[in-house]
Amino acid sequence: MLSFNVDKRGIGILKIGKGDKSKKGLSSNLFVELGNLIGEIEGGNYIRAVILTGEKDEEFIPDIDLEEFLKFSSEDDGRLFSLRAQDVLNRIERCRVPFLAAINGLCTGVGFEIALACSYKIASDNPRVAFGFPAVNLGLIPFAGGTQRLPRLIGISKALDVFLRGRLIGTAEALRLGLVDEVVPEEILLSIALERALMVSGGKRLKSKRFGFTRGLFEKNPLVRKILFSRAKKNLVDKRYVRSLAPLMILESVEVGMGASFNRGLHVESVYFGELVVSDVSRQLLKFFLSVDDVKREIIKQSGHIEPVKKIVVVGSDPLGSQFAIVAAEAGICVRLYDTDYKKIGEGLRNCYRYFKGKLKSGAITEFDMRRKLNLISYTCDYTGFRNADLVVETLFKDLEKRQEILKGIEPVAGKDTVLMLVTFSTPLSIISSVLSSWQGRVVGVRPFLPISNTGVVELIYQEDSPNSAIGTVVDFLRRTGILPVFVRDKEGFFATRVLLAYLFEALELLGEGAMVEQVDGAMIEFGFPKGPFALIDEIGLEFVSKVGKELCESLGERFKMPLLLDKMAREKNLEWGGFYNAEGKVNKSVYNLIEEKIVNDRLLKSDFKERLCLRMLSEAILCLEEGIIRNPRDGDVVSVLGLGFPVFLGGPFRYADSLGLGIILEKLEALSHRFGSRFAPSGLLKELVLERKRFYDA
Amino acid sequence: MLGNTRRVAIVCGIRTPFIRAGTLFRDLSSLDLGRIVTVELINRSEVDPEDIDEVVFGSMVSVARTPNLARDIALASGIGASTPAYTVTMSCISGIRAFTSALESIALGNRDTVLVGGVESFSECASSLSSKMFNIKLKNGSFKTVGLLQRVNAFLGNGSYKLSFGLPFLLDASAGITLGESAEKMARKHSITRREQDEFAARSHNLASISAKDGRFGEEIVSLLLPPDFSTLVCSDNGVCKDISVEALSKEEPIFDRRYGTVTFGNSSYLSDGASAVLLMAEEKARALGYNPLGYVRAYAYASASVCTDEKLLMGPAYSTPIALELAELTLREIDLVEIQETFAAQVLSNARAFASKKFAKEDLNRSNPVGEIELERLNVLGGSIAIGHPFGASGLGVIVTLLNELKRRDRNFGLVCMSASGGLGVSIILERE
C-alpha cells in the first residue's frame, strides 16, 4: 500500500496506492502502516523531507474502500478508527521532518485529509485536480481532523460550503483560498516539489499564504461566528426532510473546534464519525453506492474489446431524440439527426443549441467547446448518412405504426454492422422489430429516464438471442456518454415502467377513493421521493400513462386494471386537461368533479397512503425478480433509486424490503389483497423467501 | 488525360444555396459553411472519413483567423487529424484550382481519395473590414438601392466605395481598373449592346428560376437551418429573380458611364456567400467501393491572356478552351453542354464571340481556325452566376456538379466548364459521364 523511496539527498518520496488495481480502495489498515513509517522516518536521521505524491493519471491518494466502513459493528469501532487516523495525521503535521504534498490527481476524502496535514502543498495544473469531501453524500463526515484543519486554512464559511454541499474546489480557486501554496504545470510538479523540499529542509521558511486579514478578523469575532453557525444550522433545518444527521454533525464539530480548541474539535469529530458510520441511513447509502460501483465495474468489463462508437444516427428530433444527440455530442461522438421534416429538426437543433448555450452561460464550457460540440450534430430528412453509422438510436416511441414504417425505410440503407437501439418505455423489442428482416439480430432496446443526462441510468433491454457484439456497441455508447446501463429482459414494461405504473395506478385508486392530491403527494415526499405521484403524472402526461397502462393490462392482466378514474378520463377524452397542478403549482380542483362516490373516505389515513403506494411498488418489483426481468435485486435497486427517484437512504425497494422484514411485508400484502383485491397478491418468490427465512441480500 | 495517368472520378458533389452577401448567411463564417458542406458530403457519399487521404479547399478571401481554412474545416468535420489539408487561392477560380490540384495528385497516384471544397463568405470578410456602409447596403440588396447609395457615396467623394460596393467594383491591382470597367471595355471592343447584355441576364434569371422550380438543383443543394433558432430553412439560392423582364433590366442605370455605359448591376453578378464540395477518387477505387460516379475529368487547361490589361482581364477562357479541347481530342461541336462562368453578361458574350472569331484565333491564339460557335441551346442551360450568385471559391465546383447532373438528366456525355479570373486567367475543364 505504501511505497517509500529515499534519494541520495535524503528526500523521501511517498506514494500511497491501492497496490492492486482490482481493489476498490485503501484498506483501513492504512493508518497503522502510515504510523509505523512515520516512526521510522522520525527515528532515522538521514531523511530531510518527505514528498507525498500520487501515481500518474490516478488519484493523489485513493479513498478508503467503502466496504471497510461496513465492517464496523459498533460506534466504538468507528471512533477508534477515527482516533487512530487523527493521531497519525497529527504526527505528520508535527513531524520533525517536513511533509510536502505534490498533488497530481483528484484529492478527495482521505487524500484531502492527508494533504491538509502537510506543511506545504503544491498542485499540478491538470484539470483533474480538485479538492473536496464527498463524505456527506454517504451520510458521513471527515474522520481524520478534516473538520478542524480546513476551516482553519480557508475560513469557516468556505469550509462549510465544501463540507455541507460536497462541492469540489478546482486548482484556481484552491490557490486563491490559500488551500494550496503553489499551482505549477504538471510536467514540472515533482521537480519543483524537490526544490521546495530542499529549501524547507535547509531551514528556510517558505512563505505560506494565509487567508486574508479582514476575513480572519471577521470570523474570529465570536458574535459573527455565532450568527454564521446559527444561520447555517437554520438552512439545514429548512430543508425539511434531511434524513442524514451528517451535515448537522459536521457543523457542530466545526463549531466546537473553532470555539474551544483543536483537540476538543477532534474529539467531537471522532465521536460523531463513530455514531454515523453505523447509522442505518449511512449504511444504506454506503451499500447503495457500492452497488452502483459494482454495476459500473461489470459494464467496463463487458465493453472492453468493442470497436468504439464514432457516429450515431438519432431518429426523431423531439426532446427525447435531442437529449440523445446532446449526450453523444458531449462525448465527442458524431451525430446525424433524422426526422421527417425540417421543422421538427429545427426544434431538435434548438434544444441542443439551448443546452450548450446554457452551459456556456454558466461558465461550464467555452465558446470554442460549444461550437465544437454543436458542430458534431448534422441533420437530414432523407436516408443519407446511415450506412457508416455504428449505431442508430430510434426514439419515436409514441406511435408504433409510424416507427415501424420508418424502421422499414431505414433497414435497407443501414450498414451491415450498424446496430439498432430502440428507445421504448413499455413496448417490447420483439413487437417493434417484428417488421424487420436483416436487422433482426442487431436490435437492442433502451428504456431511458428523463432527463437522461441527469439520471445517468437506463434499462438496457436484451433478447435471448441478442448477440454480444450488438449489446457491446450499445454498452460502449452508453458508457462513453456517462449513462449506466442495467440489464433487463424483453417483456412489456420491463422493470421500471412496471414498478412505476403500479405506483401511479395505486395513487389514482387512492384519488378515486377520496384522497386529496396534495395529501398523497405530500405523503410520498415525506417518504423520500423528490416529488409526489401526481406531480409525476403531470410530467409524464396522463395520456401516456393511460396508453402504457393499457398495454400492461393486456399483457400482464388484472394487476394493471385501469383505475376507475383514469378509465373515466380516457373515455371522456379528457386526458389533455392541463394536469393535476396548474401553472402556478396549485392543485387543479376540477379533478375532484370526476369522482362521483367516495368509497372508503373515512378510513383513509396518511400513513395508509405511504404503505399502500410503497407496498404496491415492492410487490411489483419482487414479481419482476421472480419472472427474471431483472437479474438480481441489486439491479432493481440501482434503477429504482437513480431512475425512479426511490429514496436513496432506503437503498431501493429490495434493500428497503429487507430492512422492513419480508415476513411483515407478506403479512401486510395479504391483508391488503383481502381489502383491495388481487393487485396486492403476494408473489410466490416472497412466500418462498419468508418460508425459508431468507432475504434478498445476504448482508 | 495526362498521358499514362489514372482517370479521376467525381463521386459525389454538393453545395449550399448561394446567398447574397450580408443576408441569410450573415452570421456564418467560411469555416461554418465549409464544415457544413464537408460533413454533408461525407454523409451523402457514405465515405468512411478514414478513407479520405487529403482535403483541399479553395477560397479567394481568406481571413486571418483561419490561415489554412482547409485544415480547420477538416478537423471540425470529423476527418482524422492525420489527414493533411491545404488551401489554395486563384481569385475567382480558387475552387477550381483546388479541384485540379486534387485531380493531379490522384492522377499521379499520390492519393486515392481527396475531398475538394470551395468556400466564400463575403459577409465574414465585410464584417472583418467593419464597414458599416457595406452592411447597410447588403441587407437591402436590391438593384435600385445599390444604385442610389452608390451614387450618394460617389457624390460624397468617399473613395472607399470601390472596395465596398459589390462585385463590379473589385479592383484588379495589376491592370489598375475594376472588373466592371473591364467588362465595359470588353462590351465595347466586341460591340455587345446593352440590349444583348440585358437579354442574357434576363435569360439567366429565368432559366435559374425554372430550374429551381423543377427541382433540378435538388440533389446537389444542401438545406440549412440557421442558428440560433433553427426555424429558417434555406434550401434555394436567394438572388434569383422570378419573371424578370428585359424591360425591367433596361431601366437600371449603368454603373460606370451614365451616358454611354452598358454594364449595370442588373447584368452583372453580385457578391455572395456559399460553399461547395466534391469527392474525387481514382476510378478503380471508386469502382472497388461500389460507387456510381457522377462523371470523370477528360481534360483541363489553364491559360492566361497575352496581355493583362483592360478588355482582356476576363478573357481567360478564350485562351484556355482550345488547349483543353486539344488535350481531350474533341471539338467544340462534340460538347453537349457548355458552362461559361457568368461574372458579367458582357464577359460571357465576349468570350463566346472570341470562340467564334477567326480574327481572335489568328491574332491572339496564333491558330488558323477558331474554336467554334456556341449556340444558346447548350450554353448555361440552368442559368448562371448573374442569377444565382458568384461566391468565388465555391461557384466553380457548383457549376461542375450542376453540369454533370444535367448531362445525366439529358443523357448526354460531354460537358465543358469555362471560368475566368481577374488577371486574364482562364480555365477550361472537359467532363465526361462515361
Side-chain angles (χ1 to χ4, degrees):
Chain A
M1 207 165 12
L2 303 182
S3 96
F4 186 59
N5 295 306
V6 185
D7 69 5
K8 55 182 185 294
R9 284 172 300 185
I11 307 292
I13 301 221
L14 173 58
K15 289 183 180 176
I16 305 176
K18 288 178 282 193
D20 182 356
K21 274 226 160 157
S22 65
K23 281 195 186 145
K24 291 178 189 169
L26 299 173
S27 98
S28 54
N29 212 20
L30 166 74
F31 292 103
V32 179
E33 289 185 27
L34 205 52
N36 293 341
L37 183 72
I38 295 166
E40 278 174 38
I41 293 170
E42 291 248 84
N45 56 3
Y46 57 98
I47 295 169
R48 297 165 64 194
V50 177
I51 296 172
L52 257 162
T53 190
E55 293 292 346
K56 198 171 178 292
D57 298 326
E58 280 175 36
E59 306 100 315
F60 168 57
I61 294 172
D63 219 333
I64 301 280
D65 186 353
L66 297 182
E67 265 172 58
E68 299 276 336
F69 291 147
L70 287 175
K71 285 183 196 152
F72 297 147
S73 54
S74 70
E75 291 180 14
D76 279 348
D77 285 354
R79 196 166 56 86
L80 287 174
F81 171 75
S82 169
L83 284 174
R84 166 166 293 136
Q86 287 174 352
D87 177 53
V88 170
L89 293 204
N90 286 347
R91 282 170 64 196
I92 288 182
E93 203 173 21
R94 289 164 206 160
C95 188
R96 182 177 58 77
V97 176
F99 276 68
L100 291 87
I103 301 150
N104 55 350
L106 189 66
C107 181
T108 55
V110 166
F112 195 16
E113 303 241 29
I114 296 178
L116 282 172
C118 290
S119 58
Y120 197 77
K121 296 170 270 295
I122 312 172
S124 91
D125 63 353
N126 187 315
R128 276 183 301 120
V129 175
F131 304 84
F133 280 117
V136 72
N137 298 330
L138 298 170
L140 295 176
I141 64 173
F143 53 82
T147 60
Q148 303 309 309
R149 290 194 179 92
L150 190 64
R152 282 175 173 79
L153 194 59
I154 65 170
I156 296 169
S157 56
K158 270 285 167 210
L160 288 181
D161 197 35
V162 174
F163 288 135
L164 302 180
R165 304 223 328 255
R167 196 167 74 90
L168 288 180
I169 295 182
T171 43
E173 195 184 352
L175 186 66
R176 205 168 55 239
L177 290 173
L179 193 58
V180 292
D181 301 287
E182 273 183 86
V183 175
V184 303
E186 195 176 7
E187 299 77 8
I188 57 168
L189 175 70
L190 211 58
S191 59
I192 295 280
L194 279 168
E195 216 171 280
R196 298 288 177 267
L198 288 170
M199 283 161 78
V200 177
S201 60
K204 193 169 173 188
R205 258 186 77 92
L206 291 173
K207 212 180 117 205
S208 190
K209 254 173 113 178
R210 285 283 150 194
F211 59 82
F213 173 73
T214 42
R215 198 178 67 201
L217 200 68
F218 181 69
E219 287 187 350
K220 278 206 172 101
N221 182 335
L223 190 68
V224 173
R225 208 148 64 191
K226 200 166 180 189
I227 295 169
L228 202 80
F229 280 112
S230 70
R231 211 175 47 200
K233 221 171 275 183
K234 194 164 153 281
N235 272 341
L236 288 185
V237 179
D238 276 352
K239 290 182 196 152
R240 272 183 301 165
Y241 303 106
V242 177
R243 307 294 154 145
S244 160
L245 286 174
L248 200 63
M249 290 184 165
I250 290 180
L251 212 57
E252 283 184 10
S253 333
V254 176
E255 195 173 5
V256 171
M258 298 305 281
S261 72
F262 189 82
N263 284 336
R264 289 276 288 278
L266 287 184
H267 174 72
V268 174
E269 184 188 273
S270 64
V271 171
Y272 280 162
F273 178 77
E275 263 177 50
L276 283 173
V277 81
V278 291
S279 70
D280 287 342
V281 168
S282 89
R283 294 221 139 195
Q284 287 292 19
L285 290 170
L286 283 171
K287 284 177 193 164
F288 179 73
F289 279 93
L290 284 168
S291 298
V292 173
D293 207 51
D294 236 23
V295 178
K296 271 186 197 155
R297 278 159 180 274
E298 259 179 37
I299 294 308
I300 290 171
K301 236 184 255 168
Q302 214 151 9
S303 66
H305 38 264
I306 292 287
E307 188 88 343
V309 173
K310 281 195 216 132
K311 176 179 164 189
I312 64 165
V313 179
V314 175
V315 176
S317 59
D318 51 358
L320 183 62
S322 33
Q323 282 188 38
F324 274 105
I326 287 168
V327 292
E330 280 273 34
I333 299 169
C334 287
V335 181
R336 192 147 172 94
L337 193 57
Y338 167 85
D339 211 318
T340 45
D341 73 69
Y342 279 109
K343 205 169 158 245
K344 285 191 201 151
I345 291 178
E347 281 163 27
L349 292 174
R350 196 149 54 231
N351 285 336
C352 301
Y353 184 84
R354 283 202 189 125
Y355 171 83
F356 287 110
K357 190 87 189 172
K359 277 192 90 175
L360 174 69
K361 273 193 185 143
S362 73
I365 54 171
T366 60
E367 170 129 28
F368 174 76
D369 286 333
M370 174 178 126
R371 270 174 174 273
R372 209 180 41 176
K373 283 179 177 156
L374 279 170
N375 283 352
L376 288 168
I377 305 172
S378 73
Y379 45 89
T380 180
C381 280
D382 51 31
Y383 294 141
T384 54
F386 280 73
R387 205 189 314 152
N388 268 326
D390 302 301
L391 187 66
V392 172
V393 180
E394 195 266 358
T395 63
L396 306 165
F397 63 93
K398 281 187 185 135
D399 184 347
L400 182 62
E401 274 166 34
K402 189 182 154 206
R403 86 188 295 181
Q404 286 182 331
E405 192 187 310
I406 288 182
L407 283 172
K408 267 194 280 183
I410 297 172
E411 192 172 18
V413 296
K416 67 180 192 333
D417 295 323
T418 307
V419 175
L420 175 62
M421 179 175 126
L422 293 170
V423 174
T424 168
F425 286 85
S426 63
T427 321
L429 301 187
S430 51
I431 291 179
I432 305 168
S433 66
S434 60
V435 292
L436 300 175
S437 51
S438 65
W439 224 344
Q440 279 290 356
R442 283 171 287 142
V443 183
V444 176
V446 150
R447 190 272 193 228
F449 299 90
L450 307 177
I452 49 178
S453 51
N454 289 9
T455 53
V457 68
V458 294
E459 285 180 326
L460 193 149
I461 306 146
Y462 64 98
Q463 289 169 301
E464 297 307 315
D465 53 353
S466 300
N468 282 336
S469 59
I471 293 178
T473 303
V474 173
V475 167
D476 177 70
F477 168 68
L478 293 171
R479 193 177 57 79
R480 293 194 26 224
T481 50
I483 300 171
L484 194 65
V486 169
F487 286 77
V488 296
R489 274 250 310 276
D490 186 29
K491 186 177 175 186
E492 275 86 355
F494 320 112
F495 172 76
T497 304
R498 269 173 73 172
V499 173
L500 180 68
L501 257 276
Y503 168 67
L504 296 181
F505 272 18
E506 197 57 35
L508 286 165
E509 293 282 2
L510 277 172
L511 192 65
E513 289 167 26
M516 308 292 272
V517 170
E518 60 270 47
Q519 278 179 347
V520 179
D521 273 5
M524 293 326 281
I525 290 173
E526 211 176 276
F527 182 73
F529 276 91
K531 62 180 73 159
F534 295 111
L536 202 58
I537 293 178
D538 277 356
E539 204 178 281
I540 305 169
L542 195 57
E543 194 177 2
F544 192 62
V545 171
S546 102
K547 193 188 134 224
V548 172
K550 223 174 279 166
E551 259 177 64
L552 292 189
C553 186
E554 274 163 27
S555 56
L556 303 173
E558 279 298 283
R559 277 197 334 281
F560 283 96
K561 204 176 125 229
M562 287 274 209
L564 283 173
L565 190 64
L566 184 61
D567 195 37
K568 199 168 159 193
M569 285 169 158
R571 258 187 287 119
E572 290 178 9
K573 302 230 177 289
N574 208 1
L575 295 175
E576 296 198 19
W577 53 303
F580 288 103
Y581 292 90
N582 56 25
E584 292 100 62
K586 298 256 168 57
V587 175
N588 185 351
K589 297 273 188 242
S590 69
V591 59
Y592 299 120
N593 300 338
L594 287 164
I595 306 159
E596 277 159 11
E597 44 191 314
K598 298 179 179 176
I599 310 164
V600 278
N601 194 6
D602 51 329
R603 285 172 59 192
L604 281 170
L605 292 167
K606 212 169 179 182
S607 57
D608 245 20
F609 297 162
K610 279 192 227 170
E611 193 174 294
R612 268 175 68 180
L613 289 172
C614 178
L615 285 174
R616 188 74 199 274
M617 272 183 124
L618 293 192
S619 85
E620 197 60 39
I622 297 169
L623 216 61
C624 285
L625 182 64
E626 185 181 284
E627 290 174 25
I629 305 286
I630 44 173
R631 295 176 303 182
N632 49 39
R634 182 203 66 193
D635 283 3
D637 279 347
V638 169
V639 169
S640 308
V641 172
L642 296 180
L644 298 180
F646 195 91
V648 60
F649 53 85
L650 299 177
F654 293 102
R655 288 262 183 219
Y656 183 52
D658 271 355
S659 65
L660 284 181
L662 300 190
I664 294 170
I665 290 180
L666 181 62
E667 241 167 63
K668 284 192 173 167
L669 279 176
E670 269 163 357
L672 281 171
S673 67
H674 280 304
R675 272 172 71 191
F676 300 104
S678 63
R679 64 178 194 265
F680 281 104
S683 65
L685 177 68
L686 183 62
K687 287 179 187 159
E688 203 177 296
L689 286 170
V690 171
L691 210 64
E692 293 173 17
R693 293 173 181 277
K694 275 192 184 157
R695 294 148 58 92
F696 290 114
Y697 289 89
D698 295 332
Chain B
M1 178 190 80
L2 294 165
N4 43 6
T5 55
R6 300 199 291 179
R7 197 178 182 215
V8 179
I10 300 159
V11 168
C12 180
I14 52 165
R15 67 173 173 99
T16 65
F18 291 163
I19 298 298
R20 258 177 199 282
T23 61
L24 291 166
F25 287 174
R26 240 185 338 266
D27 301 324
L28 295 177
S29 64
S30 5
L31 177 56
D32 289 331
L33 289 170
R35 175 185 55 77
I36 289 165
V37 281
T38 307
V39 169
E40 203 56 33
L41 183 68
I42 291 172
N43 275 302
R44 292 210 187 176
S45 65
E46 303 279 7
V47 66
D48 184 344
E50 280 177 19
D51 279 344
I52 298 173
D53 302 320
E54 195 164 52
V55 177
V56 190
F57 262 76
S59 177
M60 179 174 118
V61 182
S62 64
V63 177
R65 208 159 15 129
T66 48
N68 183 3
L69 188 60
R71 178 66 170 166
D72 298 318
I73 290 173
L75 292 178
S77 312
I79 295 171
S82 55
T83 306
Y86 63 92
T87 313
V88 297
T89 181
M90 197 168 177
S91 72
C92 319
I93 52 176
S94 299
I96 297 284
R97 183 65 248 184
F99 179 84
T100 54
S101 300
L103 194 77
E104 279 159 10
S105 61
I106 295 174
L108 292 171
N110 294 337
R111 307 279 183 210
D112 282 334
T113 308
V114 182
L115 191 147
V116 182
V119 57
E120 209 66 69
S121 170
F122 271 99
S123 305
E124 186 186 27
C125 148
S127 59
S128 68
L129 289 173
S130 77
S131 157
K132 218 173 181 181
M133 212 57 167
F134 185 86
N135 282 332
I136 295 168
K137 187 243 109 197
L138 289 172
K139 270 175 199 162
N140 23 342
S142 80
F143 301 145
K144 273 276 177 278
T145 347
V146 173
L148 187 73
L149 265 171
Q150 182 261 320
R151 262 172 290 161
V152 171
N153 212 22
F155 178 74
L156 294 172
N158 183 349
S160 70
Y161 77 91
K162 283 199 173 182
L163 178 89
S164 46
F165 282 154
L167 189 145
F169 297 106
L170 292 177
L171 189 73
D172 185 292
S174 41
I177 58 169
T178 61
L179 297 186
E181 284 167 313
S182 167
E184 196 75 80
K185 288 193 175 167
M186 270 170 146
R188 283 204 288 273
K189 162 104 179 173
H190 295 272
S191 50
I192 294 158
T193 63
R194 169 76 192 268
R195 176 93 191 160
E196 279 175 290
Q197 293 182 35
D198 286 346
E199 272 170 6
F200 189 80
R203 170 183 182 267
S204 184
H205 276 283
N206 293 334
L207 286 175
S209 68
I210 291 168
S211 310
K213 214 171 81 193
D214 293 354
R216 285 196 221 172
F217 297 136
E219 270 176 47
E220 62 202 68
I221 291 191
V222 178
S223 299
L224 262 71
L225 288 158
L226 297 179
D229 57 347
F230 301 94
S231 53
T232 321
L233 178 71
V234 186
C235 56
S236 58
D237 311 314
N238 78 344
V240 181
C241 300
K242 246 185 271 170
D243 305 321
I244 198 160
S245 67
V246 180
E247 282 65 42
L249 286 172
S250 67
K251 288 191 185 113
E252 282 288 319
E253 249 185 61
I255 309 169
F256 298 97
D257 182 345
R258 282 178 68 186
R259 286 187 72 181
Y260 307 111
T262 55
V263 173
T264 68
F265 283 106
N267 59 34
S268 43
S269 189
Y270 49 88
L271 296 181
S272 342
D273 301 338
S276 53
V278 298
L279 189 66
L280 295 185
M281 268 187 204
E283 185 182 13
E284 61 263 41
K285 171 97 175 180
R287 297 234 184 273
L289 292 177
Y291 284 110
N292 184 16
L294 291 173
Y296 304 88
V297 180
R298 189 172 170 105
Y300 72 90
Y302 287 89
S304 57
S306 46
V307 280
C308 176
T309 50
D310 299 359
E311 84 279 358
K312 292 277 172 70
L313 269 190
L314 295 170
M315 288 299 284
Y319 293 86
S320 58
T321 307
I323 308 173
L325 283 169
E326 226 168 65
L327 285 170
E329 295 168 340
L330 291 170
T331 63
L332 191 57
R333 278 266 56 87
E334 292 166 275
I335 305 289
D336 299 303
L337 291 174
V338 178
E339 283 281 343
I340 301 179
Q341 174 65 37
E342 299 174 1
T343 314
F344 299 93
Q347 162 254 342
V348 181
L349 296 170
S350 301
N351 274 292
R353 294 248 161 116
F355 279 20
S357 157
K358 264 191 175 158
K359 186 167 167 264
F360 186 83
K362 208 172 238 165
E363 287 174 10
D364 289 83
L365 301 174
N366 208 8
R367 286 169 189 263
S368 50
N369 292 319
V371 175
E373 195 93 31
I374 306 170
E375 305 76 21
L376 277 181
E377 293 80 62
R378 52 181 182 144
L379 177 65
N380 297 7
V381 291
L382 296 177
S385 291
I386 291 176
I388 66 177
H390 190 7
F392 300 123
S395 44
L397 297 176
V399 167
I400 290 177
V401 177
T402 306
L403 186 72
L404 286 170
N405 282 332
E406 186 63 15
L407 281 171
K408 183 179 172 196
R409 210 181 63 81
R410 299 186 178 209
D411 195 23
R412 292 300 172 92
N413 196 25
F414 293 117
L416 167 66
V417 173
C418 303
M419 302 212 29
S420 43
S422 65
L425 297 168
V427 60
S428 304
I429 299 177
I430 294 171
L431 304 161
E432 57 189 352
R433 278 187 51 237
E434 295 302 324

